Amino acid sequence: MARQQPSPWVHTAFLFCLLSLSGAIEIPMDLSQPPTITKQSVKDHIVDPRDNILIECEAKGNPAPSFHWTRNSRFFNIAKDPRVSMRRRSGTLVIDFRSGGRPEEYEGEYQCFARNKFGTALSNRIRLQVSKSPLWPKENLDPVVVQEGAPLTLQCNPPPGLPSPVIFWMSSSMEPITQDKRVSQGHNGDLYFSNVMLQDMQTDYSCNARFHFTHTIQQKNPFNLKVLTNHPYNDSSLRNHPDMYSARGVAERTPSFMYPQGTASSQMVLRGMDLLLECIASGVPTPDVAWYKKGGDLPSDKAKFENFNKALRITNVSEEDSGEYFCLASNKMGSIRHTISVRVKAAPYWLDEPKNLILAPGEDGRLVCRANGNPKPTVQWMVNGEPLQSAPPNPNREVAGDTIIFRDTQISSRAVYQCNTSNEHGYLLANAFVSVLDVPPRMLSPRNQLIRVILYNRTRLDCPFFGSPIPTLRWFKNGQGSNLDGGNYHVYENGSLEIKMIRKEDQGIYTCVATNILGKAENQVRLEVKDPTRIYRMPEDQVAKRGTTVQLECRVKHDPSLKLTVSWLKDDEPLYIGNRMKKEEDSLTIFGVAERDQGSYTCIASTELDQDLAKAYLTVLGRPERPRDLELTDLAERSVRLTWIPGDDNNSPITDYVVQFEEDQFQPGVWHDHSKFPGSVNSAVLQLSPYVNYQFRVIAINEVGSSHPSLPSERYRTSGAPPESNPSDVKGEGTRKNNMEITWTPMNATSAFGPNLRYIVKWRRRETRETWNNVTVWGSRYVVGQTPVYVPYEIRVQAENDFGTGPEPGTVIGYSGEDYPRAAPTDVKIRVLNSTAISLQWNRVYPDTVQGQLREYRAYYWRESSLLKSLWVSQKRQQASFPGDRLRGVVSRLFPYSNYKLEMVVVNGRGDGPRSETKAFTTPEGVPSAPRRFRVRQPNLETINLEWDHPEHPNGILTGYTLKYVAFNGTKVGKQIVENFSPNQTKFTMQRADPVSRYRFSLSARTQVGSGEAVTEESPAPPNEAYTNNQADIATQGWFIGLMCAVALLVLILLIVCFIKRSRGGKYPVREKKDVPLGPEDPKEEDGSFDYSDEDNKPLQGSQTSLDGTIKQQESDDSLVDYGEGGEGQFNEDGSFIGQYTVKKDKEETEGNESSEATSPVNAIYSLA
């Protein structure tokens, strides 16, 4: 992360950057003054011939000046040329060619004169030139014949244009010419070859000139190269060869300069311009160029290298840049150097430019015109456009070289003076008027400005004023008598007050007072000091994998009275917030980071007064780019060198390279891994197999993932050979009782070693040691028929191709096919271990009856019935396996209290043998399974109902159920209670000890053996819900019905009282019912009546009247609304009740002619009391 210095912020009104603080005071335009040139065209004015010509000249003055022009130092009569006009209230010339004419006829030197009765001001001498883009002369260019390795210059020689055209080289098909340190374009536009290579003739070369004003490009006829070489084949593999030139038979040679010629040259440059030094050298190998300055270092802040170090540019040249520079061109054969002597000249430049002089009658003053240059410029004074020598004599004026002194000036001294300073490289012309005025002080800016500034900044308060004589200006703060100057304050000549470092105590009202002998004027500025905007938690540099989420923080502290805006830049450009980004007040989140998100992110926190910046860099780790430019070298019979160029690692170092190959004979189009190499390697020797047509590709791997495979290399086929190995995984197994199938894993392309790969299969019986049977097979299996049942065979499989046979194979033992076993286990004995398990014991069968490989003894058993007569059972057969040659085993997971039957068999690879005699056994009684569907219900606060179903597996005769339960409330647990039930009971109602606690129940069934698995449940409702459920049942209770009847009777009494009280109120004429006059606050009606209520209708003490007229009690919150009877309602005029009771006064009732108090039953209760 990095905090950047904020760019300068422009403040309002009186706050400015520190520019020309001692600049001249301007005369207000409502006062008389000589002319001043405000706008003019550049000295060298080049125009487009297709447009009208515009020569600018604008001036101000009072009275407004008139204008006239000279052309080539002679009066230019605009009225005589219909094409020429002058803009209204301006001196700008417009030359119109819409009706014809040649712009070239108007080329020349123009000068503008602005005149009023107080003097004449002059513009610069403006040299008008028309842009030219001449056509390229047609020429037929012969092919350029050059020896490979020789230098070559292709000359451009563009037609002279105004301004000079931009030169660039392309082919005739408009493809740019690739330039490097060997081939590059010089500053003069020529194309230089330090040495020519054969590949340079693959294109042609055309020089192009682009003309600025006409926006046209002209193309020269192309050059064609014919390169003579000792190595006619353009082998691209030699381009990166470490010794490319000797590999192509090109003789190496020391450098020599193509431009400039010789060992020394000189160059002149004007001060303030750019100095461009160029050295282009030939040689084999291509030379490197380095630059030096004799007796010192190159100016690092202004010097930069261009054109592959062949050019040195020094910007904004000054006198100290003169001296001797030399370039050194070197290669391994030697070096050469060229010295360039640089002389810096200078057109005139100002040391002290004359400024307007404003004087009061009788005052003294002076105009100063000082300039420098190389050679030293001369100074010429003029007055109102005429040489000073030819002007009428003025006894109050004295000329002393570059200074004019005025003494005791009078009104008649007003004029415009010109200072012209020149040498052979240019000139400077300045106008400065002398104005004699008698004016009291005046302020030129709006009054009582509010200025807001940032704490600790340097600030300037401006107070533009005018007066003649020039007034003196003083500043005061908060009406204090001391003048502000010195210390933290500085007052400039133009009246501006600079506060070097703003502090909180600098806040206040500042007054500027301008005074001269004619009076004084003042203005005020109110200065407010604001806290700076600061990013106190800046975004940090981050490294993220592609696809992850990144958050960049930017937390800001700012002055709360200023509006804060937070924006983001990416790579110094405004950031577009797309749908993958989320900008929040103090952060920027990027979802699913991609490679394009990498870059610098700048948080800009800004107010209208200042800003703060913080920058962080986001590095995105991505999968590497694919390797490229695969090349096969060092071709050998069993090896090859593969070289590749690594792709971009996308910020995560490449850890490995995987080389894959593909062959087109056995599995065309299928790629296989060949080898793996470290990420630091880009060239490796690959070991190859005979008779494979290889093609390679490379995959790069980094921490993020794998690259896409590279493009495949060219193919390389190795020569054939006899196989060096035999197939693997050879097996002999019978698929039927009278055969044996011999199988193996076929050899792949890299182990075939030759064409027509085949296999020699041999077999014989193991015991008899008979002669070998053999057959040649092209596939990967062979079936031997008519074999005895399950006898061993010796097997061999050998590889063979057209080049010979493989090594002698090893012998593998296989077996012919198996048949079903002929015998069953005998003397099967069963012993009951417990209610769910038995043990078995049997006699093994004779080996010759197995007729194969003995896999296991297997017991088949099934549940015949349950000892519980009413219980249905499944008679599905189950099995238990006893692998190997065993004589005993255990069968478990049986059902208790059941009748079972069992049989045993022998199993080999073919299947089951005959079954043994069926045996029966009975399992004893066991413990039952858990009761089913255990339910806990809680109808009220007093009771809990339990229900359940019998166990799915009783496993015996049920003797009953055991219920255990315990009360708990949070972490408090009560004493456990045990209840026993009969086997037929499936319900139980429990009386709660208290309405708050919950209960945990555990229920299990019992047989004579013991209790079985328990099922556990808890009472379902927490106390607050239980209370709600209990309330829901209140409506069915008798005591509640009686209470409701009493409430209804009370309501009836209230209705009667309300009716009586309504009949006592009404409208009465004021003078009939009251003898006292109406007060000013009495609520009068339009018809002379008013509403009132009896004293009894006033609220009782201890109640409050709300804003909406509702009577509220302070002591009690109970109301009819709380009992579900509240709502909007009102009485009809006959006293009947509509709707439900309410304590809210309706707006219509309040505005009616009846008493609003009587409509509330609560008020009626108070009245009754």
Side-chain angles (χ1 to χ4, degrees), residues 852-1003:
Q853 183 181 4
L854 177 62
R855 299 289 179 88
E856 64 183 31
Y857 287 92
R858 184 179 297 166
Y860 288 98
Y861 60 94
W862 61 96
R863 191 180 183 191
E864 188 73 18
S865 63
S866 173
L867 295 180
L868 296 173
K869 301 303 181 183
S870 60
L871 186 64
W872 178 89
V873 298
S874 171
Q875 295 183 343
K876 181 181 178 181
R877 283 178 172 255
Q878 295 176 283
Q879 67 182 39
S881 297
F882 309 102
D885 189 11
R886 299 171 58 182
L887 298 178
R888 58 181 57 85
V890 175
V891 178
S892 58
R893 303 183 67 179
L894 301 174
F895 286 101
Y897 212 53
S898 300
N899 295 318
Y900 277 89
K901 289 186 177 180
L902 179 143
E903 298 172 342
M904 291 199 68
V905 297
V906 176
V907 181
N908 65 10
R910 187 71 184 277
D912 294 357
R915 282 168 169 70
S916 68
E917 178 185 358
T918 301
K919 297 287 185 176
F921 63 93
T922 300
T923 54
E925 197 172 4
V927 296
S929 62
R932 292 180 297 166
R933 291 190 285 276
F934 184 34
R935 304 175 295 283
V936 179
R937 292 189 176 91
Q938 188 171 273
N940 51 52
L941 291 177
E942 284 79 18
T943 60
I944 297 177
N945 295 333
L946 308 179
E947 295 182 12
W948 63 89
D949 292 344
H950 294 301
E952 182 179 4
H953 302 290
N955 295 335
I957 300 172
L958 290 181
T959 60
Y961 295 93
T962 299
L963 175 67
K964 299 177 183 180
Y965 59 93
V966 62
F968 66 94
N969 186 1
T971 59
K972 297 181 179 180
V973 180
K975 182 180 179 182
Q976 179 174 283
I977 301 174
V978 180
E979 299 278 356
N980 290 312
F981 309 118
S982 67
N984 295 325
Q985 183 174 347
T986 58
K987 293 182 179 180
F988 175 67
T989 300
M990 186 201 80
Q991 297 298 320
R992 298 175 62 101
D994 64 81
V996 178
S997 298
R998 298 183 63 189
Y999 288 84
R1000 186 177 295 112
F1001 301 94
S1002 178
L1003 180 67

Side-chain angles (χ1 to χ4, degrees), residues 253 403 621 668 1065 1105 1167-1168:
R253 52 187 174 79
T403 304
L621 305 181
T1105 303
S1167 299
L1168 184 62

Side-chain angles (χ1 to χ4, degrees), residues 623-625 627 652-658 676 679 699-707:
R623 296 189 304 173
E625 302 295 332
S652 180
I654 296 174
T655 57
D656 298 287
Y657 288 103
V658 174
K676 191 173 185 179
I699 298 174
I701 301 174
N702 65 8
E703 183 183 351
V704 180
S706 302
S707 71

Side-chain angles (χ1 to χ4, degrees), residues 94-271:
V94 179
I95 306 176
D96 193 343
F97 297 101
R98 287 178 294 183
S99 58
R102 297 179 65 250
E104 291 79 5
E105 296 175 358
Y106 292 88
E107 290 184 326
E109 187 177 80
Y110 292 79
Q111 191 167 27
C112 172
F113 294 75
R115 172 178 297 146
N116 66 11
K117 64 180 181 178
F118 301 119
T120 303
L122 278 65
S123 74
N124 290 322
R125 297 188 298 274
I126 302 169
R127 183 185 178 195
L128 178 67
Q129 295 176 283
V130 178
S131 173
K132 299 177 178 60
S133 53
L135 296 177
W136 220 306
K138 292 295 182 181
E139 54 183 338
N140 294 321
L141 301 176
D142 295 330
V144 178
V145 181
V146 60
Q147 184 69 38
E148 186 174 19
L152 174 65
T153 302
L154 299 181
Q155 294 184 346
C156 180
N157 296 327
L162 186 67
S164 300
V166 176
I167 305 300
F168 57 96
W169 286 80
M170 302 184 76
S171 67
S172 57
S173 59
M174 302 305 291
E175 292 290 333
I177 300 300
T178 302
Q179 298 188 30
D180 51 27
K181 74 173 186 177
R182 187 178 65 87
V183 181
S184 62
Q185 175 186 320
H187 183 62
N188 61 2
D190 293 347
L191 189 64
Y192 293 90
F193 294 76
S194 294
N195 52 76
V196 175
M197 299 301 294
L198 182 62
Q199 65 261 24
D200 294 333
M201 63 185 291
Q202 293 178 353
T203 184
D204 53 12
Y205 301 85
S206 177
C207 184
N208 296 261
R210 182 174 68 241
F211 294 90
H212 171 68
F213 280 92
T214 59
H215 302 289
T216 57
I217 296 177
Q218 296 190 31
Q219 188 178 53
K220 186 176 183 177
N221 286 343
F223 292 95
N224 290 287
L225 298 187
K226 183 177 181 181
V227 180
L228 306 179
T229 179
N230 299 324
H231 196 297
Y233 301 104
N234 187 18
D235 190 348
S236 61
S237 64
L238 294 178
R239 292 188 182 182
N240 299 319
H241 196 281
D243 205 359
M244 174 181 66
Y245 295 98
S246 61
R248 295 197 54 79
V250 177
E252 297 177 336
R253 52 187 174 79
T254 57
S256 61
F257 283 110
M258 305 174 70
Y259 180 88
Q261 301 289 333
T263 58
S265 60
S266 63
Q267 195 165 332
M268 189 273 289
V269 62
L270 290 180
R271 178 182 182 272

Side-chain angles (χ1 to χ4, degrees), residues 679-986:
S680 58
V681 170
N682 72 325
S683 180
V685 175
L686 307 180
Q687 300 301 320
L688 308 180
S689 298
Y691 201 70
V692 178
N693 193 18
Y694 282 100
Q695 185 174 232
F696 299 98
R697 71 182 187 185
V698 182
I699 298 174
I701 301 174
N702 65 8
E703 183 183 351
V704 180
S706 302
S707 71
H708 293 294
S710 68
L711 297 177
S713 69
E714 58 185 348
R715 288 194 177 272
Y716 176 65
R717 179 185 289 278
T718 54
S719 57
E724 295 182 358
S725 62
N726 289 310
S728 60
D729 198 21
V730 177
K731 298 179 183 177
E733 296 176 344
T735 58
R736 296 184 181 181
K737 65 180 180 180
N738 60 350
N739 75 359
M740 179 179 64
E741 183 180 55
I742 303 174
T743 60
W744 57 91
T745 300
M747 298 166 64
N748 57 29
T750 59
S751 56
F753 286 21
N756 296 321
L757 178 66
R758 49 200 180 268
Y759 305 97
I760 302 173
V761 181
K762 300 179 180 180
W763 72 94
R764 69 179 180 185
R765 286 186 63 173
R766 184 178 185 183
E767 294 87 355
T768 60
R769 312 295 292 179
E770 59 189 13
T771 59
W772 290 93
N773 301 286
N774 67 82
V775 66
T776 300
V777 178
W778 297 83
S780 60
R781 61 186 290 270
Y782 179 74
V783 179
V784 179
Q786 303 303 317
T787 60
V789 174
Y790 200 66
V791 295
Y793 281 84
E794 294 179 341
I795 302 171
R796 295 179 180 176
V797 179
Q798 186 178 26
E800 183 182 34
N801 63 21
D802 288 355
F803 289 93
T805 58
E808 192 66 27
T811 301
V812 176
I813 303 300
Y815 286 85
S816 59
E818 299 176 83
D819 200 354
Y820 293 108
R822 298 198 308 267
T826 58
D827 197 16
V828 177
K829 296 177 181 179
I830 298 174
R831 183 167 63 90
V832 177
L833 299 178
N834 53 43
S835 61
T836 61
I838 61 171
S839 68
L840 294 175
Q841 188 173 345
W842 61 88
N843 292 335
R844 64 166 55 91
V845 297
Y846 292 106
D848 59 344
T849 64
V850 177
Q851 298 196 109
Q853 183 181 4
L854 177 62
R855 299 289 179 88
E856 64 183 31
Y857 287 92
R858 184 179 297 166
Y860 288 98
Y861 60 94
W862 61 96
R863 191 180 183 191
E864 188 73 18
S865 63
S866 173
L867 295 180
L868 296 173
K869 301 303 181 183
S870 60
L871 186 64
W872 178 89
V873 298
S874 171
Q875 295 183 343
K876 181 181 178 181
R877 283 178 172 255
Q878 295 176 283
Q879 67 182 39
S881 297
F882 309 102
D885 189 11
R886 299 171 58 182
L887 298 178
R888 58 181 57 85
V890 175
V891 178
S892 58
R893 303 183 67 179
L894 301 174
F895 286 101
Y897 212 53
S898 300
N899 295 318
Y900 277 89
K901 289 186 177 180
L902 179 143
E903 298 172 342
M904 291 199 68
V905 297
V906 176
V907 181
N908 65 10
R910 187 71 184 277
D912 294 357
R915 282 168 169 70
S916 68
E917 178 185 358
T918 301
K919 297 287 185 176
F921 63 93
T922 300
T923 54
E925 197 172 4
V927 296
S929 62
R932 292 180 297 166
R933 291 190 285 276
F934 184 34
R935 304 175 295 283
V936 179
R937 292 189 176 91
Q938 188 171 273
N940 51 52
L941 291 177
E942 284 79 18
T943 60
I944 297 177
N945 295 333
L946 308 179
E947 295 182 12
W948 63 89
D949 292 344
H950 294 301
E952 182 179 4
H953 302 290
N955 295 335
I957 300 172
L958 290 181
T959 60
Y961 295 93
T962 299
L963 175 67
K964 299 177 183 180
Y965 59 93
V966 62
F968 66 94
N969 186 1
T971 59
K972 297 181 179 180
V973 180
K975 182 180 179 182
Q976 179 174 283
I977 301 174
V978 180
E979 299 278 356
N980 290 312
F981 309 118
S982 67
N984 295 325
Q985 183 174 347
T986 58

Side-chain angles (χ1 to χ4, degrees), residues 116 266 341 374 452 501 522 559 670 765 914 979 992 1077 1169:
N116 66 11
S266 63
S341 179
N374 188 4
R452 298 181 298 174
M501 187 175 71
E522 67 178 45
D559 194 293
V670 178
R765 286 186 63 173
E979 299 278 356
R992 298 175 62 101

Side-chain angles (χ1 to χ4, degrees), residues 332-348:
K332 67 179 183 179
M333 300 301 294
S335 62
I336 188 174
R337 81 183 210 171
H338 182 95
T339 302
I340 305 174
S341 179
V342 174
R343 294 174 294 116
V344 178
K345 299 291 185 179

